[in-house]
Amino acid sequence: LESYNTNMAGIKDRQLQILDELVSGPMTRPEIASKLGIYPSSVSAAVNALLVKGHISVIGVKHNPKTRKKNEVLALVKSKTYK
C-alpha cells in the first residue's frame, strides 16, 4: 500500500487487505472474498466501513452467472488514496 497518501488511522487489517486487492483494479465482493480466501460476510462488513469512510466507491454492477445475482463493482477513490 505504498501508493497511499491518506491518513490510514482507524483502518483495520481486513480493510487494508481489501484496499490492497483493489489497487490491482475494480472487483466485486465475491471476487475479493475469493482472492483473500475469506467468507463473503467478512468482506461485506469491511467494504461497508470503507464505503462510509470514502476510501472506495461503487462504480457499477456485474451479473454473476452462477448465482444470477447482480454484484456491485468496487474501486478505490483515487483522489483520496493516491498521490
Side-chain angles (χ1 to χ4, degrees):
L1 295 172
E2 299 169 15
S3 60
Y4 292 106
N5 69 359
T6 187
N7 182 359
M8 288 290 147
I11 302 291
K12 297 181 180 181
D13 288 342
R14 179 72 70 218
Q15 294 169 1
L16 287 173
Q17 289 176 319
I18 291 169
L19 290 171
D20 195 36
E21 286 301 324
L22 290 173
V23 167
S24 64
M27 59 182 71
T28 65
R29 286 176 176 88
E31 290 168 339
I32 295 168
S34 176
K35 285 195 170 245
L36 294 177
I38 59 176
Y39 291 107
S41 59
S42 296
V43 170
S44 287
V47 161
N48 291 340
L50 290 168
L51 285 166
V52 168
K53 293 175 184 177
H55 291 287
I56 62 174
S57 64
V58 177
I59 61 166
V61 293
K62 186 175 180 182
H63 183 262
N64 184 328
K66 286 184 180 180
T67 63
R68 296 183 176 176
K69 293 183 179 179
K70 292 180 182 176
N71 296 301
E72 294 176 327
V73 179
L74 307 162
L76 294 173
V77 174
K78 292 183 181 183
S79 63
K80 183 161 184 153
T81 56
Y82 287 120
K83 292 181 181 178

